């Protein structure tokens, strides 16, 4: 009986030890599961943040392209305005030359007419 009591005591101790190990393993499993869940949520949050940043970068790229396009349009408009300005300056210079020629012709005609009037009087 003493050996049977000793065996039972030993078995109870082993069962208790096993239950302790099981509790410890369950606690570690629960901790690992909670950590895995936390990391999954963190990853999801980071992926969402990256997606948001990617969308922001794409929006900025589109804005840059639009600004470049506007800059190109403005440069082309400026070139057209400069060409129109040069054409207007050339036209004004031509008008001034034509006016000077007409004025000279008018003065010559006036002088001839004056000479003609003087000779007739």
């Amino acid at each position: 009986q003493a050996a049977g009591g000793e065996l039972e005591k030993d078995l109870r101790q082993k069962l208790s030890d096993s239950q302790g190990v099981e509790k410890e393993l369950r606690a570690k499993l629960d901790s690992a599961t909670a950590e895995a869940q936390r990391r999954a949520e963190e990853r999801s949050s980071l992926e969402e943040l990256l997606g948001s940043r990617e969308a922001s970068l794409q929006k900025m790229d589109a804005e840059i392209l639009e600004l470049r396009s506007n800059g190109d349009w403005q440069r082309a408009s400026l070139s057209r305005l400069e060409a129109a300005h040069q054409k207007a300056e050339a036209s004004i210079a031509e008008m001034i030359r034509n006016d000077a020629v007409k004025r000279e012709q008018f003065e010559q005609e006036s002088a001839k007419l004056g000479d003609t009037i003087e000779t007739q009087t």
Side-chain angles (χ1 to χ4, degrees):
Q1 262 190 338
E6 198 57 38
L7 181 61
E8 183 181 339
K9 184 180 175 187
D10 190 38
L11 288 174
R12 286 185 189 271
Q13 182 60 43
K14 286 182 179 180
L15 177 63
S16 177
D17 290 347
S18 293
Q19 288 172 339
V21 168
E22 181 184 358
K23 281 183 182 177
E24 190 178 307
L25 289 175
R26 283 191 189 276
K28 287 181 179 180
L29 177 63
D30 289 346
S31 176
T33 301
E35 179 66 14
Q37 179 65 31
R38 184 190 69 75
R39 287 187 180 188
E41 289 170 358
E42 186 177 287
R43 178 186 173 116
S44 176
S45 177
L46 287 173
E47 286 174 346
E48 188 177 310
L49 180 61
L50 287 173
S52 175
R53 290 217 172 146
E54 182 64 29
S56 293
L57 287 173
Q58 289 175 355
K59 183 179 177 185
M60 287 174 64
D61 286 344
E63 289 172 351
I64 288 168
L65 288 175
E66 183 179 348
L67 288 171
R68 284 182 179 162
S69 174
N70 287 343
D72 292 343
W73 180 84
Q74 289 173 352
R75 276 189 288 283
S77 294
L78 182 59
S79 292
R80 287 190 300 272
L81 287 172
E82 287 173 344
H85 181 74
Q86 289 173 351
K87 187 175 179 180
E89 284 180 338
S91 294
I92 291 170
E94 181 68 23
M95 287 172 53
I96 290 171
R97 281 191 299 275
N98 289 343
D99 187 50
V101 168
K102 287 180 184 178
R103 183 173 292 138
E104 187 177 323
Q105 289 173 349
F106 176 74
E107 288 174 359
Q108 289 173 359
E109 291 293 324
S110 294
K112 286 181 186 177
L113 186 58
D115 289 345
T116 303
I117 292 173
E118 277 183 27
T119 54
Q120 289 181 354
T121 44

